[in-house]
Amino acid sequence: MRTNRVPLRHSLLTRLLVTSILIAVAATTATAWLAVRTATRAISQEQGRSLADDKGVYDMLIGYAATHPDWSGAPELIEARAVELGRRITLMTEDRQVIADSAAGPPLRTARPSAVVDPLNLDLGLTGGGERIDSRAVGPLEVPPSERPDLQQLAAKEVDCLRGLGLDATVGTAPNGRPVVTRATPDLSTEARWCDVDMNTLVTKTEQKALRSLADLAGRCLDLPDPRTLWVRPDFSVYQVGASIKQVPGEQPLMPAVPLESASVSATDVARVQSCVEKSRRALLQPYVAPPALLFVTDPGDGADQTTFTLSTENTVRIVAVTGAVLLATIVVTVLVGRRLVRPLRALTEAVDQHAPAPIAGADEIGRLARALNDSVERRDRAETQRRDMVTDVAHELRTPLSNIRSWLEAAQDNLTPTDAQLLELLHEEAVLLQHIIDDLSDLAAADAGTLRIHPEPTYLRDVLTQVVDAHLGTAHAAGVRLIMDIRDDPVLPADAVRLRQLVGNLVSNAIRHTPAGGTVTVGAHDTTITVRDTGVGIAAENLPRVFDRFWRAEASRSRATGGSGLGLAIARKLAEAHGGTIGVASEPGRGALFTVRLASSGSG
């Protein structure tokens, strides 16, 4: 990482500062010269304006709060709006802690807020509507793009039907991503009603999960014995399954959904349910929206002097002449400096567009930016390579347990092994390993950073190695390789049993793959040491340092089908290191290989 500072004489900041000083000196001189010829000053105070004159401030902040879980990005919006309006805009928490303030000014700890910004409890006096919850607050109810095609197909069907009747209609998108059909002119004719499509009858998978949670919350609010009898549709209309909301039978068979507007439900119950649904919506959306905040829109200060001039014709001419000269000088200097500063930036832009290295033309900030841009491109390329490697890791790690399961199942189909409790146990163990690999594969990708999660506990090595050998017997038999164990005593070590199985399994798979038919693979253990020995082709001395490198194979001609993906030994090394141990290999061509794993001792046996 480069930490050297840009020399002051080359600094872009220095050039900008010098330019600014020159312009400021010229402007100050002209202003001073004009000031001695001015007439009188008058003081006026700008009258404050109410928030009602600009409801856009409130709506802007409501829109932000409805789509963000906090106010971290609000200061930029408030600053821009305050500049546009010429007002001081302040946002505080309910306990009067400042969130954002567009300008310094008197404290507002006791002032009355202009409004309370809460997307889950709108100020109807400002919105002019009747809905208390802002429609832009969708949270988990937002339909992802992948689930919208079916909804859009329904909307298109309705539009096609209306257009077939000569009626114009368009399809828009609601804040939650659902399509909305809008007719150019309302038509209540029977033919037009035939085109009506109830979009709420189609609920996407994402909505179904969120609406189920919403219905459960509403059911608990209504004290229903079984909240599952309540169902909320995407338009938040409430349906009930089986009976009225006051009395939900426990053992009756489910009946078709009954809308709350049916005659069997009283108006009091409807109001009560709607109140609970609104309350439940707030509870569901609360984690996805910003917390309530107090909004203050005030004058920038207590008051400001405004200078007025009483000018003669001569002074007017002087002001126009000097102002024109200063303006012209400012434009010329700004253009010259700007062109000089923009030139390297254009070169950087062209380099990015052409995916070429950015030219480094100097030692100033732009030069450092070019270097940083080149570094960013390199990191992006490395990230893309790592992404592809991750895909390969996934394929490799899933292949071994799936192959074992398939081998045992095929052996059972061919009556080569009995379908008994032992076989089921082996299949179950492989399935558990497969699930564990899937769940923690992202952690394996972070092994290089030393963040691989290991859950050590006292583990009997004999049991773990027996499981590994049993799981690979089918593969060894198919390859014509004899797979045996040589374990002394019954060592107990602190280890993650599943990860240890994965480590030894990778070594055994590698040994079987590189051992010709008639050979032997021996899995051994003594104290804190695990060994996997084979009688295979062996490894040349010059290749031993590269055995644990990713994607390396002893024979370049090997494909993944015959030589593995080249990841097993690399992952085995990471797993050994995560256990606080080491892994090594000793081999000679033609005499097989010996892989040795040394783990930390628990101090007890």
Side-chain angles (χ1 to χ4, degrees):
M1 180 178 180
R2 299 181 178 90
T3 58
N4 56 307
R5 296 175 62 87
V6 177
L8 192 59
R9 64 181 183 277
H10 297 306
S11 175
L12 180 62
L13 179 62
T14 301
R15 282 182 273 174
L16 292 176
L17 182 60
V18 170
T19 303
S20 299
I21 291 175
L22 291 175
I23 295 175
V25 167
T28 301
T29 302
T31 302
W33 184 79
L34 292 174
V36 298
R37 291 163 175 80
T38 58
T40 61
R41 287 189 152 211
I43 301 177
S44 63
Q45 187 173 10
E46 192 177 278
Q47 302 296 322
R49 292 169 293 177
S50 65
L51 180 64
D53 294 334
D54 192 342
K55 296 180 182 180
V57 176
Y58 177 77
D59 183 68
M60 175 192 72
L61 293 177
I62 284 291
Y64 177 89
T67 55
H68 295 78
D70 56 47
W71 292 104
S72 58
E76 292 80 4
L77 295 176
I78 290 176
E79 289 283 349
R81 191 66 171 181
V83 171
E84 179 183 348
L85 299 179
R87 310 298 300 277
R88 177 189 177 191
I89 302 176
T90 307
L91 199 64
M92 290 185 173
T93 62
E94 290 183 306
D95 58 351
R96 303 280 175 150
Q97 298 296 318
V98 175
I99 298 174
D101 196 343
S102 64
L108 303 172
R109 294 189 181 90
T110 60
R112 181 179 178 181
S114 304
V116 177
V117 182
D118 185 359
L120 303 183
N121 190 14
L122 297 178
D123 187 335
L124 301 184
L126 291 174
T127 62
E131 186 66 32
R132 284 287 184 181
I133 299 178
D134 191 85
S135 61
R136 291 166 289 187
V138 295
L141 294 169
E142 182 176 4
V143 180
S146 60
E147 297 179 1
R148 297 178 185 177
D150 291 341
L151 295 171
Q152 293 168 346
Q153 186 176 2
L154 277 181
K157 180 179 179 182
E158 180 177 348
V159 171
D160 292 341
C161 177
L162 291 170
R163 290 177 178 172
L165 297 175
L167 301 175
D168 190 19
T170 58
V171 178
T173 303
N176 62 353
R178 293 181 70 89
V180 178
V181 177
T182 304
R183 302 184 183 185
T185 56
D187 190 336
L188 301 179
S189 63
T190 303
E191 293 82 359
R193 286 199 296 269
W194 287 346
C195 295
D196 289 345
V197 175
D198 188 359
M199 300 293 294
N200 295 288
T201 59
L202 179 59
V203 182
T204 66
K205 183 178 180 181
T206 299
E207 288 177 306
Q208 187 175 11
K209 181 179 179 181
L211 290 173
R212 181 66 266 162
S213 300
L214 179 60
D216 290 342
L217 290 172
R220 287 194 288 271
C221 174
L222 294 167
D223 296 325
L224 294 181
D226 186 1
R228 291 174 298 177
T229 60
L230 205 66
W231 177 248
V232 181
R233 302 197 337 160
D235 62 353
F236 304 113
S237 59
V238 182
Y239 276 62
Q240 185 178 13
V241 179
S244 69
I245 62 173
K246 288 184 176 180
Q247 187 176 8
V248 179
E251 301 297 331
Q252 285 188 358
L254 295 179
M255 297 169 59
V258 179
L260 288 180
E261 291 76 7
S262 64
S264 62
V265 182
S266 68
T268 302
D269 287 339
V270 171
R272 178 166 165 249
V273 170
Q274 290 175 343
S275 175
C276 278
V277 169
E278 184 173 298
K279 178 180 177 182
S280 300
R281 282 180 65 191
R282 289 193 179 97
L284 183 69
L285 296 174
Q286 188 174 10
Y288 301 90
V289 302
L294 306 180
L295 173 64
F296 301 84
V297 180
T298 58
D299 293 333
D302 294 333
D305 289 340
Q306 183 175 0
T307 302
T308 60
F309 301 93
T310 302
L311 300 174
S312 63
T313 303
E314 181 182 1
N315 284 338
T316 302
V317 173
R318 290 176 180 176
I319 290 174
V320 172
V322 174
T323 302
V326 172
L327 180 61
L328 179 61
T330 301
I331 292 175
V332 172
V333 173
T334 302
V335 169
L336 293 177
V337 174
R339 290 185 62 182
R340 183 177 179 84
L341 295 179
V342 168
R343 190 180 300 116
L345 294 178
R346 287 178 177 172
L348 293 181
T349 303
E350 292 176 359
V352 172
D353 292 340
Q354 298 173 4
H355 302 283
I360 302 175
D364 58 5
E365 286 84 354
I366 295 179
R368 298 185 67 184
L369 175 61
R371 285 190 289 270
L373 183 61
N374 291 338
D375 292 342
S376 177
V377 172
E378 293 178 1
R379 288 194 297 270
R380 181 196 63 191
D381 294 340
R382 286 197 298 270
E384 178 63 21
T385 301
Q386 291 173 355
R387 184 190 64 80
R388 290 194 296 266
D389 293 348
M390 183 64 181
V391 174
T392 305
D393 288 348
V394 172
H396 175 81
E397 288 304 301
L398 297 184
R399 182 184 297 115
T400 300
L402 286 174
S403 297
N404 292 336
I405 293 175
R406 179 180 177 182
S407 297
W408 283 110
L409 290 176
E410 290 178 350
Q413 286 180 332
D414 297 338
N415 295 323
L416 297 178
T417 185
T419 307
D420 54 12
Q422 183 180 5
L423 176 61
L424 295 178
E425 180 66 21
L426 289 174
L427 293 176
H428 178 265
E429 291 292 336
E430 291 301 316
V432 169
L433 175 59
L434 182 61
Q435 182 64 49
H436 197 104
I437 293 172
I438 294 173
D439 292 340
D440 288 344
L441 199 54
S442 60
D443 293 334
L444 281 176
D448 291 334
T451 58
L452 182 64
R453 292 184 300 176
I454 294 295
H455 308 288
E457 57 184 14
T459 301
Y460 288 89
L461 284 187
R462 179 180 293 275
D463 294 343
V464 172
L465 299 184
T466 299
Q467 293 171 358
V468 173
V469 170
D470 290 345
H472 287 79
L473 282 175
T475 304
H477 177 75
V481 175
R482 184 185 176 205
L483 181 58
I484 60 176
M485 290 195 307
D486 180 16
I487 302 175
R488 284 181 279 176
D489 302 325
D490 193 6
V492 179
L493 296 177
D496 185 324
V498 176
R499 292 297 194 189
L500 192 58
R501 284 186 58 203
Q502 185 181 1
L503 189 163
V504 180
N506 284 354
L507 297 179
V508 172
S509 297
N510 182 74
I512 294 174
R513 190 162 51 246
H514 292 87
T515 300
T520 301
V521 174
T522 304
V523 179
H526 175 62
D527 290 337
T528 61
T529 302
I530 301 173
T531 59
V532 177
R533 183 190 299 272
D534 64 69
T535 59
V537 296
I539 306 170
E542 64 271 16
N543 291 330
L544 287 177
R546 303 181 58 195
V547 166
F548 297 102
D549 291 347
R550 289 191 174 195
F551 304 109
W552 181 85
R553 299 183 180 88
E555 300 176 28
S557 61
R558 283 187 179 269
S559 64
R560 286 194 179 102
T562 59
S565 68
L567 293 171
L569 296 182
I571 294 175
R573 179 176 62 179
K574 294 299 181 182
L575 292 176
E577 293 172 352
H579 279 87
T582 61
I583 185 171
V585 59
S587 177
E588 294 181 11
R591 301 186 63 180
L594 172 63
F595 287 85
T596 304
V597 179
R598 292 181 173 85
L599 302 176
S601 174
S602 63
S604 61

